[in-house]
């Protein structure tokens, strides 16, 4: 059997997906380090070693994400916009609007019925509403970013975080902490703050059902719930949402092989 | 210097561009000479009726044009810092204004280190608010700081109409005529109406010829790298009423026609794959990076919504026509639907596959419509669009990674659209 590899090197994490020629996800893995760190090398080595594969077993490697230009073994690279669209369309062909909250940017992508991108919008040059905002807040609260979802589920009320600027919101959260506001209520407020910011962006691209979230932040149930409330619509979250970019990269690698006649589906 | 850098051949400038550079140097030299002699010299907004000072033979230089040139050479930071620091101007105002107000203060101080093109200290200001309303505050500040007068032509905004109503035309015409009288007093010279007619004629020849040249870029493949238009545009800004501009445009047209005949282009030997319409002012400090990245993805920004702002069209001798033209040449004086209608026409004429929108932090007016404008373009022109953050002079806003990601995303959508056809 032969394989292709898609890697999504983000600003805070690196994700990898290996696919077979018959479009099955063979393996997937993530490491919590992004571009400019050991992350890309680590995720590459990890996915190979965990699955007893060698570089030679990979017919093609396609890389996406902010670190896409600096991965030595890549055969090609594509933007994360196209890769997320491709990946989510594979996971659920009914999706017409994708919202991806990445470490340093947020994307809202509209697809047509064939899965082609109609339009996309991305955040302004500002960390508000990004994964980095959540990381910073988790750090202040001394919890893990991955815990923000479950903590917000235990909230009794949602504290309003009025600042969207990461630096000002940090001061605001510290101030709330010193007023003995419950941690869970604060976390719910933080998730709500992200959701409000992202909803504005999503409205810019125009919402069409079905709406899906991709990327690691989609695993935060608090953000998904708040965003769903802001958009007044259900949001589809696939269990592999975090791998959507890497999956899309693998699918593009496969398409490129097919174009060359090297892969038969 | 590395070996690779040493071996890299320097791109030879086209004769027309050498002529532009010579013309710019001459304008500044004449202005500085006049200043040294104690003669009047003006600073002007970019779309002021230049015909007046051209007729009086009084030199004008243009702070917006100067700020663009200084920014493109990465030399604007010191003036912006001076304006924000010692002069206490906030970061949220236009960066051209910050740069120029900072420069105006620096150049009046002894021993300042000149930055080319070096502006002489002005003795008066000319202001028309047809392209931007912030200009009024900017020039008011210059006027107070330098203690010099402003000749102001107040152009009205066109909310609901393509053609300014008669009372608006009359209002601007009266102001132009009144400005002439005031200038006669200030300069101590009579206005030569025959020479004025000649200047009007030359101005029309130049703007028509520039339009013809711009139109040539609608050919496929385009004979010009669209960014060249930003550079040649400066002749119209600085010297719209001069015959030297006619000579430049004649030479440029000849060069472009040669490119067409030879099947070549100033875009380079690698053919353009995607034709894009640029929205907004150029991102001057990052022009080189923008161009390099566009080329990397085989994109030619064949046209933009900026260079036609100096298409001030009227019949020589027709003062009403002139008054109307100065109210309407910049699309900034129109409503968003009107602007986007013009952009749609341009996108179709230039066969653009996509639109790249510069969200210029400095320009609130042009940023106001950026998202709704995108929607209109996507609906009417049926092309994909993307936007990126930047600024015309302030280097703190632009992000190379953001620009490339969005451009690449746009290219991938344009590619998929072409393949689906």
């Amino acid at each position: 059997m032969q394989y292709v590899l898609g890697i999504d090197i983000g600003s805070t994490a690196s994700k990898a997906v290996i696919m077979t020629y018959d479009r099955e996800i063979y393996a997937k893995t993530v490491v919590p380090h992004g571009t400019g760190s050991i992350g890309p090398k680590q995720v590459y080595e990890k996915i190979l070693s965990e699955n007893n594969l060698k570089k030679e077993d990979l017919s093609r490697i396609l890389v996406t994400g902010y670190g896409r230009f600096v991965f030595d073994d890549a055969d090609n690279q594509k933007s994360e916009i196209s890769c997320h669209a491709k990946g989510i369309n594979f996971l659920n062909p009914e999706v017409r609007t994708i919202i991806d909250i990445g470490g340093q940017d947020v994307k809202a992508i509209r697809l047509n019925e064939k899965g082609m991108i109609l339009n996309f919008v991305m955040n302004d040059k500002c960390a508000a509403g990004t994964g980095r905002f959540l990381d910073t807040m988790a750090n202040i609260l001394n919890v893990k970013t991955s815990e923000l979802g479950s903590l917000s589920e235990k909230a009794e009320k949602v504290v309003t975080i009025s600042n969207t600027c990461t630096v000002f919101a940090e001061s605001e959260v510290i101030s709330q902490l010193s007023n003995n506001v419950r941690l869970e209520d604060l976390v719910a407020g933080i998730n709500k703050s992200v959701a409000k910011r992202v909803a504005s962006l999503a409205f810019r691209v125009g919402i069409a059902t079905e709406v899906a979230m991709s990327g690691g932040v989609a695993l935060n149930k608090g953000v998904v719930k708040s965003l769903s409330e802001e958009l007044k619509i259900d949001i589809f979250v696939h269990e592999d949402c975090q791998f959507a970019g890497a999956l899309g990269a693998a699918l593009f690698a496969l398409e490129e092989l097919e174009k060359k006649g090297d892969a038969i589906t | 210097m590395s070996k690779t850098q040493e071996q890299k051949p320097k791109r030879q400038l086209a004769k027309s561009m050498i002529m532009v550079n010579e013309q710019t140097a001459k304008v500044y030299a004449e202005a500085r000479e006049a200043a040294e002699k104690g003669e009047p010299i003006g600073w002007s907004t970019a779309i002021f009726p230049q015909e007046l000072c051209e007729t009086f033979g009084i030199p004008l230089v243009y702070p917006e044009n100067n700020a663009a040139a200084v920014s493109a050479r990465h030399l604007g930071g010191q003036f912006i810092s001076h304006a924000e620091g010692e002069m206490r101007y906030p970061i949220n105002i236009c960066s051209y204004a910050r740069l120029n107000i900072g420069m105006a203060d620096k150049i009046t101080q002894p021993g300042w280190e000149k930055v080319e093109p070096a502006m002489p200290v002005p003795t008066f200001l000319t202001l028309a608010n047809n392209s931007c309303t912030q200009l009024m505050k900017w020039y008011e500040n210059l006027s107070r700081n330098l203690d010099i007068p402003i000749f102001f032509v107040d152009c009205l905004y066109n909310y609901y109409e393509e053609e300014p109503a008669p009372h608006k035309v009359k209002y601007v015409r009266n102001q132009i005529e009144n400005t002439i009288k005031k200038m006669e007093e200030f300069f101590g010279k009579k206005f030569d109406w025959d020479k004025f007619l000649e200047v009007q004629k030359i101005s029309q020849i130049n703007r028509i010829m520039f339009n013809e040249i711009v139109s040539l870029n609608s050919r496929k493949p385009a004979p010009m790298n669209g960014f060249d238009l930003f550079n040649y545009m400066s002749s119209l800004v600085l010297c719209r009423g001069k015959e030297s501009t006619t000579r430049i445009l004649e030479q440029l047209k000849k060069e472009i026609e040669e490119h067409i005949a030879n099947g070549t282009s100033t875009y380079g030997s690698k053919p353009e794959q995607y034709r894009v319409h640029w929205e907004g002012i150029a991102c001057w400090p990052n022009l080189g990076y923008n161009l390099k990245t566009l080329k990397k993805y085989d994109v030619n920004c064949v046209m933009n919504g900026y260079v036609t702002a100096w298409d001030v069209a009227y019949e020589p001798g027709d003062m009403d026509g002139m008054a109307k033209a100065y109210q309407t040449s910049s699309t900034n004086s129109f409503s968003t639907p009107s602007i986007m209608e013009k952009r749609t026409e341009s996108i179709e004429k230039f066969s653009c596959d996509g639109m790249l929108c510069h969200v210029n932090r400095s320009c609130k007016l042009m940023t106001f419509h950026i998202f709704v404008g995108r929607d209109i373009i996507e609906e009417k022109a049926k092309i994909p669009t993307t936007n990126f953050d930047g600024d015309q002079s302030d280097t703190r806003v632009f992000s190379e990674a953001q620009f490339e990601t969005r451009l690449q995303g746009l290219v991938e959508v344009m590619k998929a659209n072409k393949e689906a056809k």
Side-chain angles (χ1 to χ4, degrees):
Chain A
M1 189 171 291
Q2 286 176 296
Y3 308 96
V4 292
L5 171 66
I7 303 183
D8 177 5
I9 306 170
S11 58
T12 55
S14 301
K15 290 80 67 177
V17 168
I18 290 177
M19 288 195 93
T20 63
Y21 276 17
D22 53 3
R23 287 183 151 68
E24 292 292 328
I25 297 176
Y26 182 76
K28 60 197 174 195
T29 197
V30 57
V31 298
H33 307 290
T35 185
S37 72
I38 53 164
K41 186 169 183 279
Q42 214 175 50
V43 80
Y44 186 30
E45 288 171 355
K46 191 175 173 211
I47 202 163
L48 289 175
S49 64
E50 281 177 356
N51 296 283
N52 295 318
L53 293 172
K54 297 189 195 76
K55 289 181 186 181
E56 297 73 43
D57 296 318
L58 303 170
S59 308
R60 196 161 182 85
I61 300 173
L62 198 141
V63 184
T64 189
Y66 268 91
R68 66 190 180 281
F69 300 114
V70 287
F71 190 81
D72 289 342
D73 282 357
D75 294 301
N76 201 359
Q77 53 81 22
K78 266 197 184 291
S79 78
E80 49 268 46
I81 301 148
S82 295
C83 288
H84 277 273
K86 179 69 88 181
I88 289 290
N89 183 251
F90 177 83
L91 295 172
N92 181 353
E94 298 303 313
V95 170
R96 298 290 175 269
T97 310
I98 301 167
I99 296 166
D100 169 51
I101 304 179
Q104 62 182 21
D105 66 27
V106 184
K107 297 176 268 295
I109 308 167
R110 278 284 307 278
L111 304 179
N112 68 10
E113 67 285 354
K114 291 177 186 164
M116 282 173 67
I117 298 173
L118 288 173
N119 186 12
F120 66 92
V121 293
M122 295 176 78
N123 59 314
D124 308 316
K125 195 183 169 194
C126 169
T130 66
R132 184 74 74 188
F133 179 87
L134 290 169
D135 289 341
T136 305
M137 297 305 136
N139 194 34
I140 302 162
L141 299 173
N142 202 23
V143 299
K144 290 179 183 162
T145 309
S146 58
E147 293 171 335
L148 293 175
S150 54
L151 280 167
S152 70
E153 286 181 314
K154 294 171 195 151
E156 290 171 4
K157 62 174 184 176
V158 180
V159 172
T160 303
I161 307 290
S162 50
N163 282 294
T164 53
C165 167
T166 308
V167 177
F168 293 158
E170 189 173 342
S171 317
E172 198 177 342
V173 168
I174 290 168
S175 161
Q176 297 276 16
L177 278 174
S178 62
N179 289 334
N180 295 320
V181 172
R182 285 182 75 233
L183 176 74
E184 293 83 355
D185 297 351
L186 254 179
V187 170
I190 289 163
N191 287 339
K192 187 83 177 168
S193 158
V194 168
K196 276 181 178 288
R197 184 80 180 187
V198 173
S200 306
L201 187 81
F203 283 127
R204 272 186 204 164
V205 80
I207 301 292
T209 53
E210 200 165 314
V211 178
M213 271 188 76
S214 68
V217 176
L219 298 172
N220 178 331
K221 288 179 183 169
V223 170
V224 177
K225 181 173 171 283
S226 294
L227 187 57
S228 177
E229 287 166 2
E230 292 296 323
L231 298 176
K232 297 181 179 58
I233 206 160
D234 288 335
I235 295 175
F236 168 80
V237 178
H238 193 279
E239 60 183 355
D240 284 334
C241 59
Q242 191 176 12
F243 297 99
L247 176 59
L251 285 162
F252 276 120
L254 215 46
E255 280 183 10
E256 288 176 0
L257 283 183
E258 285 163 9
K259 272 188 189 163
K260 286 168 63 185
D262 291 351
I264 300 161
T265 55
Chain B
M1 191 181 278
S2 74
K3 207 172 178 184
T4 331
Q5 280 171 313
E6 277 173 12
Q7 286 168 347
K8 197 176 170 186
K10 231 184 167 181
R11 195 167 66 101
Q12 206 179 355
L13 283 181
K15 188 179 172 191
S16 56
M17 188 43 70
I18 294 169
M19 290 166 78
V20 170
N21 293 341
E22 286 171 353
Q23 185 189 50
T24 306
K26 190 164 179 269
V27 166
Y28 276 91
E30 284 173 358
R32 283 195 295 265
E33 199 183 319
E36 279 161 20
K37 286 185 198 162
E39 293 171 0
I41 172 259
W43 282 11
S44 178
T45 58
I47 322 179
F48 183 84
Q50 48 78 31
E51 291 86 343
L52 309 190
C53 283
E54 191 64 44
T55 302
F56 276 114
I58 302 290
L60 284 182
V61 284
Y62 294 82
E64 292 153 80
N65 175 267
N66 179 266
V70 169
S71 302
R73 298 175 65 210
H74 302 266
L75 297 171
Q78 56 177 312
F79 303 116
I80 290 176
S81 298
H82 181 61
E84 289 173 10
E86 289 94 324
M87 298 183 79
R88 304 190 301 283
Y89 284 93
I91 191 171
N92 291 324
I93 64 168
C94 167
S95 58
Y96 278 177
R98 274 176 283 148
L99 193 158
N100 177 251
I101 288 171
M103 182 186 274
D105 195 53
K106 285 262 187 190
I107 63 172
T108 53
Q109 295 168 7
W112 81 287
E113 206 172 307
K114 275 184 187 165
V115 165
E116 295 296 341
M119 299 276 271
V121 179
T123 59
F124 69 96
L125 302 165
T126 62
L127 160 66
N129 54 353
N130 41 12
S131 61
C132 165
T133 48
Q134 201 172 151
L135 288 166
M136 291 183 288
K137 266 317 204 194
W138 170 0
Y139 274 58
E140 182 193 340
N141 277 258
L142 283 177
S143 168
R144 291 186 195 284
N145 293 348
L146 299 168
D147 193 22
I148 54 174
I150 309 177
F151 295 99
F152 176 34
V153 175
D154 182 24
C155 297
L156 299 172
Y157 189 74
N158 305 295
Y159 286 98
Y160 302 113
E161 60 221 15
E162 294 300 315
E163 294 283 313
H167 69 276
K168 290 185 177 176
V169 174
K170 192 175 172 190
Y171 176 62
V172 173
R173 178 191 170 142
N174 285 351
Q175 288 182 78
I176 293 174
E177 287 169 347
N178 191 44
T179 299
I180 292 171
K181 285 180 198 157
K182 291 269 180 65
M183 282 182 165
E184 281 181 329
E185 288 168 25
F186 185 74
F187 299 145
K189 280 185 182 180
K190 284 299 285 177
F191 191 68
D192 182 342
W193 288 90
D194 292 334
K195 188 179 173 192
F196 179 53
L197 187 66
E198 285 309 306
V199 171
Q200 286 184 317
K201 283 179 187 168
I202 294 166
S203 303
Q204 289 309 303
I205 289 168
N206 288 342
R207 70 111 199 142
I208 289 167
M209 207 182 298
F210 188 70
N211 274 353
E212 285 169 2
I213 289 164
V214 170
S215 283
L216 290 175
N217 230 30
S218 65
R219 297 176 73 100
K220 288 177 86 171
M224 265 185 290
N225 179 343
F227 270 29
D228 290 351
L229 297 172
F230 285 134
N231 297 327
Y232 287 105
M233 184 183 85
S234 73
S235 277
L236 283 198
V237 180
L238 275 175
C239 303
R240 197 159 63 255
K242 290 187 196 295
E243 281 181 333
S244 56
T245 295
T246 316
R247 302 288 88 80
I248 290 171
L249 296 177
E250 282 168 352
Q251 173 62 28
L252 174 60
K253 196 173 176 195
K254 200 174 110 190
E255 289 167 11
I256 297 306
E257 283 169 348
E258 275 172 19
H259 277 297
I260 292 168
N262 298 334
T264 54
S265 170
T266 63
Y267 180 72
S269 52
K270 206 174 153 203
E272 67 186 22
Q273 296 294 326
Y274 306 100
R275 298 164 67 88
V276 162
H277 209 278
W278 178 282
E279 177 63 14
I281 296 176
C283 206
W284 296 111
N286 308 97
L287 205 61
Y289 176 81
N290 290 156
L291 183 57
K292 190 178 80 179
T293 313
L294 287 162
K295 281 197 165 191
K296 178 179 168 184
Y297 291 95
D298 303 321
V299 175
N300 189 358
C301 275
V302 289
M303 183 48 177
N304 60 72
Y306 186 43
V307 294
T308 51
W310 289 270
D311 184 20
V312 187
Y314 59 87
E315 282 297 319
D318 176 9
M319 286 301 282
D320 281 343
M322 184 179 172
K324 191 179 107 180
Y326 272 102
Q327 279 194 95
T328 54
S329 73
S330 166
T331 51
N332 283 355
S333 62
F334 289 103
S335 67
T336 299
S338 297
I339 298 170
M340 291 308 146
E341 189 62 45
K342 290 178 202 296
R343 300 288 194 267
T344 304
E345 284 169 19
S346 183
I347 284 164
E348 284 165 2
K349 178 179 172 184
F350 287 83
S351 311
C352 294
D353 308 300
M355 190 180 205
L356 193 54
C357 307
H358 173 201
V359 183
N360 181 355
R361 185 70 63 90
S362 270
C363 190
K364 311 305 177 198
L365 199 90
M366 293 185 87
T367 305
F368 214 96
H369 62 233
I370 211 92
F371 296 117
V372 170
R374 280 183 53 164
D375 292 347
I376 297 172
I377 293 299
E378 281 162 9
E379 191 193 327
K380 290 199 166 185
K382 312 261 183 262
I383 57 164
T385 65
T386 192
N387 60 281
F388 67 94
D389 294 295
D391 194 272
Q392 57 204 23
S393 285
D394 194 327
T395 54
R396 292 167 289 191
V397 186
F398 182 78
S399 155
E400 291 186 355
Q402 190 211 61
F403 179 79
E404 179 159 8
T405 296
R406 294 180 191 196
L407 176 65
Q408 189 179 15
L410 180 68
V411 167
E412 287 166 0
V413 177
M414 292 190 294
K415 182 171 187 269
N417 287 348
K418 282 191 174 192
E419 286 170 355
K421 273 182 188 169

